[in-house]
Amino acid sequence: MHWSRWGDPAKARPVSDELRGLVEAFLGPVVERPSVELAEVELAPVALSDEHLAALGALVEREHVHTGHEWRVRRTRGKSTPDLLRIRAGDGADAPDAVVRPGSHDEVAAVVAWASEHRVAVVPFGGGTSVVGGLVARRDGYAGVVALDLRRMTRLLAVDEVSGTATLEAGLLGPEAEELLAERGLLLGHYPQSFPHATIGGFAATRSSGQSSAGYGRFDAMVLELRVATPVGELALGTSPANAAGPDLRELVLGSEGAFGVVTEVTVRVRPLPERKHYEGWRFASFAAGAAAMRRLAQELPQGRGLPTVLRLSDEAETAVNLASPDAVGGGASGGCLMVVGHEGTPDQVEVAQGRTAALLADAGGERLGEEPGTRWAEGRFDGPYLRDSLLDIGVLVETFETVTWWSRLDELYAAVKQAVEADLTEQGTPPLVLCHVSHVYETGASLYFTVAARELDDGVAQWSRTKRAATDAIVASGGSITHHHAVGRDHQPWLEQEVGPVGVELLRAVKERVDPAGVMNPGVLVP
């Protein structure tokens, strides 16, 4: 990925005159805020000794141990807005001392064991798409920090077509995994917005949830087996489709963000490639009306029994600026709230499911808009972060966060969080534009995904940090989770005890102490 932006450098684009006019109409005059050049990013000297580097080179071959300026910059932090604001200003203080690129589980295990013995912090690094501070290790008390880059581990290890499973190495990017599976007529069906740049191991380590999860399920529901390298040895989990052999220890790894070990292999359930994909748009008079229709769908047509593959609802503000289609932002929508509905499968399956869904949505007050809005969303579904970066160039701070709650609390949560964000940024002197959509649905509840835009102050990191605290406090007070699919990282850690309770925190600490006694695995992330 681009070192100071999201994604493919070729897709970076300046703000159009039309979008600039829209921004100024909503947020006021803009100011150009260009990034420094890569060579201008300031890094601390490499803390690891020549002996350390030689030892690492003996474990993975010296050509796969890198200490050059660009290698370190490109493995610094993730891609949240605060991460980008820091690196664009030339702040590389969190850069690793070395980038180590193992080629197998055994090499990962060897590096982890060596790091534990020599007290070198290890940050597992896949696609670098974390937006919650999940790639920033604590340095105090360590001989140095190593970014353990898994991108050499990109094999499809096994396919069981009878059982419908596949075993993938953790360094595979989402598109690479789907391409390998497609050669067998199969797919995984996991498409988060980070899909083009995130890895299989990252999906597991963060409990990722994709845009097609209504039909295919969250990533953690896809995982059947895990292979993990920990400082005290190999952890191999998952021996059957289901069992009663005590608590499911896979759940200790899923969402663990590298704090207990490094995921090296993942066995997932796979499905036949869909023969047909159909996306369409629906309009509802209000966000509440659209959410009520989604609840009916989720409860009357639950996952596996006809629920659409894709189901997404933008609120009035997000619909008005057309954020569901980043390439057409500002194009103007004709009121109400846009719902995107997608079905995938055989032609017969799509026809039946589409008819059932349409009848229910129409009965709930929806107006069918045809294929164009749904197709346009599908074509630009991974492009939102590029728009964020273009706006940063003109001094507009744009950031996202998400939560999840029960259907009975959804309206209250939505109103409380929106009010908290608007009040905080207005008090700071930068009245914001706050947008939201329902991104994932379940029989019992749904996830809300917020996008916030405001003029950037002189210290954008401090500005957003304050607003993030206000938003998360409002989420917790209203009965929402601190995260639905972005993970905990460092950013959500202050609220983790309110989520899992003091006994839950002690359980996490106990696991950490037993499997990582030297505390070298991504220190400072997840575990308080």
Side-chain angles (χ1 to χ4, degrees):
M1 287 207 293
H2 195 288
W3 66 274
S4 66
R5 306 176 76 90
W6 176 268
D8 182 354
K11 289 190 175 183
R13 58 190 185 277
V15 171
S16 66
D17 291 340
E18 182 183 15
L19 180 54
R20 184 184 292 265
L22 180 69
V23 167
E24 292 185 337
F26 276 107
L27 304 176
V30 298
V31 178
E32 302 294 332
R33 290 184 182 267
S35 168
V36 303
E37 297 297 325
L38 188 150
E40 297 175 303
V41 177
E42 296 183 6
L43 306 181
V46 173
L48 295 173
S49 67
D50 291 341
E51 290 76 13
H52 285 140
L53 297 174
L56 287 167
L59 298 175
V60 300
E61 298 183 0
R62 187 64 182 86
E63 65 183 287
H64 300 304
V65 178
H66 305 275
T67 57
H69 184 271
E70 184 171 345
W71 279 96
R72 296 174 65 198
V73 169
R74 289 186 179 276
R75 305 308 184 281
T76 301
R77 309 187 188 98
K79 295 298 183 181
S80 70
T81 293
D83 287 341
L84 294 188
L85 291 176
R86 290 185 176 101
I87 204 73
R88 287 163 63 98
D91 175 6
D94 298 316
D97 296 296
V99 178
V100 179
R101 306 180 73 225
S104 67
H105 170 88
D106 289 345
E107 288 188 354
V108 172
V111 171
V112 168
W114 174 89
S116 181
E117 180 182 354
H118 294 85
R119 200 163 176 76
V120 173
V122 176
V123 180
F125 196 99
T129 61
S130 172
V131 292
V132 291
L135 301 175
V136 181
R138 187 177 63 243
R139 282 185 166 273
D140 295 345
Y142 295 93
V145 176
V146 164
L148 193 66
D149 187 328
L150 302 183
R151 284 290 291 130
R152 290 179 60 219
M153 299 174 58
T154 57
R155 293 178 297 167
L156 172 61
L157 297 173
V159 174
D160 181 345
E161 296 185 9
V162 175
S163 303
T165 71
T167 302
L168 305 164
E169 284 193 308
L172 278 163
L173 296 178
E176 293 173 340
E178 292 292 10
E179 184 177 347
L180 290 171
L181 291 170
E183 294 174 359
R184 305 290 192 99
L186 302 169
L187 95 162
L188 181 59
H190 185 66
Y191 307 114
Q193 194 168 65
S194 62
F195 170 72
H197 308 287
T199 61
I200 293 295
F203 294 153
T206 58
R207 298 181 69 91
S208 176
S209 190
Q211 296 168 346
S212 299
S213 67
Y216 294 122
R218 292 168 57 95
F219 192 77
D220 51 11
M222 302 175 180
V223 174
L224 304 169
E225 300 178 17
L226 289 162
R227 191 180 189 191
V228 186
T230 81
V232 296
E234 179 179 333
L235 183 61
L237 300 169
T239 59
S240 58
N243 62 64
D248 189 346
L249 297 182
R250 291 174 301 181
E251 295 294 340
L252 281 176
V253 177
L254 295 168
S256 63
E257 302 182 65
F260 304 146
V262 183
V263 175
T264 60
E265 298 173 15
V266 184
T267 299
V268 291
R269 66 105 183 93
V270 290
R271 296 176 178 175
L273 280 168
E275 299 173 35
R276 185 184 177 201
K277 297 182 179 182
H278 179 90
Y279 300 95
E280 63 183 14
W282 286 75
R283 179 186 292 117
F284 284 83
S286 67
F287 194 47
M294 289 181 117
R295 179 173 65 84
R296 283 189 59 185
L297 280 176
Q299 293 178 344
E300 296 181 26
L301 308 174
Q303 187 177 326
R305 287 186 280 156
L307 190 66
T309 307
V310 171
L311 194 56
R312 167 193 171 114
L313 174 71
S314 295
D315 71 358
E316 290 87 350
E318 185 171 288
T319 301
V321 300
N322 212 9
L323 192 61
S325 181
D327 286 337
V329 163
S334 55
C337 293
L338 173 66
M339 180 184 293
V340 174
V341 181
H343 292 91
E344 300 181 9
T346 66
D348 288 345
Q349 288 171 334
V350 170
E351 183 178 357
V352 171
Q354 186 182 348
R356 189 185 298 124
T357 297
L360 194 154
L361 292 179
D363 185 63
E367 175 191 354
R368 199 170 193 169
L369 303 178
E371 294 185 32
E372 194 274 336
T375 301
R376 191 169 60 190
W377 171 84
E379 291 172 349
R381 65 194 296 183
F382 305 123
D383 293 342
Y386 293 103
L387 175 61
R388 182 269 309 261
D389 293 349
S390 297
L391 291 171
L392 288 179
D393 291 337
I394 60 170
V396 178
L397 187 152
V398 181
E399 186 58 300
T400 64
F401 61 92
E402 35 70 73
T403 182
V404 61
T405 193
W406 313 107
W407 285 114
S408 59
R409 293 181 175 176
L410 196 71
D411 291 347
E412 173 194 350
L413 178 65
Y414 168 72
V417 174
K418 188 170 184 178
Q419 181 180 12
V421 171
E422 289 175 343
D424 183 80
L425 282 166
T426 299
E427 187 176 300
Q428 293 191 62
T430 55
L433 179 63
V434 182
L435 317 175
C436 183
H437 63 264
V438 175
S439 61
H440 303 80
V441 300
Y442 307 93
E443 288 184 71
T444 53
S447 172
L448 294 174
Y449 190 102
F450 290 88
T451 300
V452 182
R455 284 186 301 108
E456 182 187 344
L457 299 175
D458 290 339
D459 187 344
V461 173
Q463 176 188 3
W464 179 250
S465 177
R466 172 176 154 169
T467 302
K468 175 72 171 180
R469 287 195 300 272
T472 310
D473 285 343
I475 286 171
V476 172
S478 301
S481 172
I482 58 175
T483 179
H484 172 260
H485 57 270
H486 282 172
V488 174
R490 296 172 70 98
D491 294 357
H492 293 143
Q493 192 189 76
W495 293 271
L496 183 61
E497 185 167 337
Q498 294 182 66
E499 179 99 4
V500 304
V503 175
V505 168
E506 287 305 313
L507 283 172
L508 290 175
R509 288 173 176 162
V511 173
K512 176 78 170 174
E513 291 170 3
R514 293 305 297 266
V515 302
D516 180 21
V520 298
M521 299 307 306
N522 216 1
V525 171
L526 178 65
V527 183

